[in-house]
Amino acid sequence: MTGVVLGKPNAETLSAAQFKALLEELIQAGYVQLDQLEAGSDEMVESDLTCKRRTDEEEALIAQWEEQDLYSAFQSIVFTTLDEVVAHYEKYPIFSVNFEQDLYDWTTIEGDYGYKLVLDPAHPTRVLQELVIDAANEGNDLIGWEDAPMAEVMYLSVCPYGLFIDVQCCPPDMDKTIPEQPRYAQIRTLLTRVLGVEPQIYTMDEA
């Protein structure tokens, strides 16, 4: 898993109420629709967030879930209400809820973002997608990565720690370059309203 998390400071997890409030805000703001939410089978624990080695306790927790065929079970889940999403989070607290959205036209390359971005330019997710790509490209420049591959946002999700944006490839200075983007104000305001504090930016599995 690689990307950035915009979440609570000190790697604090979201309460069920905050998880629901974040989804409500994202839906109301137009980032995602209820019928685009799907149960994700990728787990996330604190060590993933802070780029440290998983502890024995975390490995044991993950092993407990891996004994079950959750991937197949999650494939059959269809959320019809936010309460169902929250109940899923409470039952499976280390798993994300993904946004099922088409972000690229993988048959066409155009412009500064590589493959054609398919969401309307005014769509909030498209705005977030572009700002994260811009921030990643700036981060690649900061580390002197010449001819770096075009950064791509593969998917978004609400994870136990906040909003997760999967970015390929993800440079180490995203926590500095994201706040410098003018478009960051929109998502920062939303997250601050939900979390009650300005979000912290975590970079995971750096390039």
Side-chain angles (χ1 to χ4, degrees):
M1 192 178 298
T2 181
V4 295
V5 171
L6 312 179
K8 299 175 71 172
N10 305 314
E12 186 179 345
T13 57
L14 299 177
S15 66
Q18 288 174 323
F19 195 89
K20 182 177 182 178
L22 178 52
L23 285 172
E24 285 176 331
E25 288 274 357
L26 291 168
I27 290 170
Q28 290 173 6
Y31 284 87
V32 68
Q33 299 175 16
L34 177 60
D35 62 6
Q36 292 176 313
L37 299 177
E38 64 174 12
S41 56
D42 291 329
E43 70 276 346
M44 187 183 296
V45 292
E46 182 178 340
S47 294
D48 301 328
L49 194 70
T50 56
C51 297
K52 297 179 180 178
R53 184 175 180 177
R54 286 178 174 174
T55 65
D56 291 342
E57 292 79 9
E58 289 171 338
E59 290 288 5
L61 177 63
I62 292 167
Q64 167 193 335
W65 294 116
E66 288 179 344
E67 292 174 0
Q68 309 174 46
D69 185 9
L70 293 182
Y71 178 80
S72 296
F74 287 178
Q75 291 294 301
S76 64
I77 295 175
V78 176
F79 296 122
T80 59
T81 68
L82 274 181
D83 286 337
E84 291 175 352
V85 183
V86 175
H88 175 83
Y89 173 63
E90 291 181 301
K91 185 175 182 179
Y92 303 103
I94 65 171
F95 291 93
S96 300
V97 173
N98 297 343
F99 300 0
E100 181 56 39
Q101 296 171 319
D102 292 327
L103 302 179
Y104 295 94
D105 177 352
W106 295 107
T107 67
T108 303
I109 295 178
E110 68 171 26
D112 296 330
Y113 292 109
Y115 285 97
K116 181 180 179 181
L117 308 184
V118 298
L119 295 176
D120 184 275
H123 193 292
T125 296
R126 166 76 176 260
V127 173
L128 180 57
Q129 182 184 9
E130 289 184 357
L131 89 82
V132 170
I133 293 172
D134 289 344
N137 290 336
E138 288 188 18
N140 289 334
D141 289 340
L142 286 174
I143 62 175
W145 189 356
E146 296 182 4
D147 300 320
M150 178 62 69
E152 294 169 343
V153 172
M154 306 306 293
Y155 69 93
L156 293 85
S157 65
V158 174
C159 71
Y161 302 94
L163 180 62
F164 173 67
I165 304 140
D166 183 282
V167 188
Q168 312 285 335
C169 297
C170 184
D173 290 314
M174 295 282 280
D175 60 329
K176 300 180 182 67
T177 59
I178 285 179
E180 294 176 352
Q181 305 299 317
R183 290 173 288 190
Y184 179 57
Q186 181 175 336
I187 189 64
R188 181 184 61 210
T189 298
L190 185 153
L191 290 167
T192 301
R193 187 164 55 245
V194 172
L195 303 177
V197 64
E198 187 163 324
Q200 183 170 338
I201 301 172
Y202 304 88
T203 301
M204 301 173 59
D205 283 349
E206 302 165 355

